[in-house]
Amino acid sequence: MSNSFAVAFIIIGVTFDLLGCLGLIRLPDIYNRLQAATKSVTLGTCAILFGVALEFGIINSGGIKALICILFVMFTSPTAAHALARGSHIRGFKLWEESVVDKLKKDREK
Amino acid sequence: MKKRLAEFIVIFSMWILLTWSVKIQDLFAGLVVAFFVTILTRRLFPDDFLKLLNPRRFLLGAFYIPYLFYYILLANLDVAYRVLNPFLPIRPGIVKVKTSLKNDFAKTILANSITLTPGTLTVEVDGDYFYVHWINVSSDDPEIQRELILGRFERMLRRVFE
Amino acid sequence: MFTFLFFFLIIAAFMCLYRVMVGPTPPDRMVAIDILGIIVVGMCALFAAQTKRDFYLYIAISWSILSFVGTLALVKFLEGRGFDE
């Protein structure tokens, strides 16, 4: 526990992870859950990985691996979220009943 | 051929970074693996990837990353506010916005940026139109919606890729 | 110190498991599984920092890629398409 910057990053990351999972429980439908969970958990995990990289030292075998892992998480998680939202809309899972507009459903029915 | 060479160099440097050793046996194994991966995969990078080798575009692209990080941070504070508020101040809906970018790689980056920024999530891409799920639909006018969702990234990506 | 952080991450993982258990529709469960994968990546990174051994980061990298591929396979099942399209 030498580097206090590293510990600060890790604590911020864990906080965002917790908030994202709270959103996963509280929000009403699948699209809103995807929003909250994807954003917060991606940033949280990236912050944890960056803190770990600082703890190892950046130019180091450990630090480089953590940075490459940040790259993979940042690329893959929005793509997975987009695929999940698209798939569940194609299959016809409804939005929350208090939602305002659904342009996509209107255009599909044309 | 130039593209294949670029793929080979990227894969090989990734191998060196992951193993983090310059012993001769590690380098030889990396050369063999990178060679076979380059042959077996057909299109690892999109066609416009080599455009980034131009120094001006590369600098702008590098500047895009901290810009994106600022908005990701805003997005997370926004989500934290909405989740922790006991009344759940959300007004969700799916809206349709038109992009003026023509380049496929730029569109991919734009869609991923939309997913990571405040309150928006790309659901479907159809030609020039993006269908975006928005957690707080604050306006019904398509022009204002377009400016709020796409405006800040589109200007920058156009300068990088076109 | 790291033990406390592990405790909070495990609480987050149990929230995801709650959503997997209760979630009214199939995509809800898939979202929760995807998020659980990313949280496990964070746990591997913390474990690497605690034990000062960097090979746990190999586990983190491969877990992030495998969870992505698994999510895509589940989405194909959700859309009702075959795996060879």
Side-chain angles (χ1 to χ4, degrees), chain A:
Chain A
M1 303 305 292
S2 53
N3 196 337
S4 54
F5 269 122
V7 179
F9 267 107
I10 292 176
I11 288 175
I12 291 172
V14 173
T15 316
F16 275 126
D17 271 8
L18 265 178
L19 282 175
C21 289
L22 196 62
L24 197 63
I25 287 186
R26 281 203 66 195
L27 290 172
D29 74 346
I30 153 112
Y31 304 98
N32 291 315
R33 282 177 197 143
L34 259 179
Q35 295 242 9
T38 311
K39 280 168 206 156
S40 299
V41 175
T42 306
L43 183 79
T45 303
C46 287
I48 292 177
L49 282 166
F50 191 68
V52 171
L54 284 182
E55 178 86 11
F56 276 108
I58 296 274
I59 308 298
N60 194 336
S61 71
I64 290 288
K65 281 185 196 91
L67 291 186
I68 288 178
C69 196
I70 289 180
L71 203 69
F72 282 143
V73 172
M74 289 294 275
F75 269 113
T76 57
S77 106
T79 316
H82 164 67
L84 268 168
R86 183 166 172 272
S88 49
H89 204 282
I90 284 177
R91 193 60 182 272
F93 287 102
K94 296 271 188 307
L95 272 74
W96 190 33
E97 56 273 11
E98 289 177 39
S99 300
V100 192
V101 284
D102 191 350
K103 282 270 173 57
L104 181 54
K105 198 174 164 211
K106 252 185 232 162
D107 284 5
R108 281 253 165 78
E109 281 164 357
K110 257 181 220 168

Side-chain angles (χ1 to χ4, degrees), chain B residues 99 101-112 127-128 130:
Chain B
T99 173
L101 292 176
K102 294 280 174 267
N103 190 317
D104 279 343
F105 190 47
K107 272 188 206 163
T108 313
I109 293 183
L110 183 61
N112 274 5
D128 280 346
F130 284 178

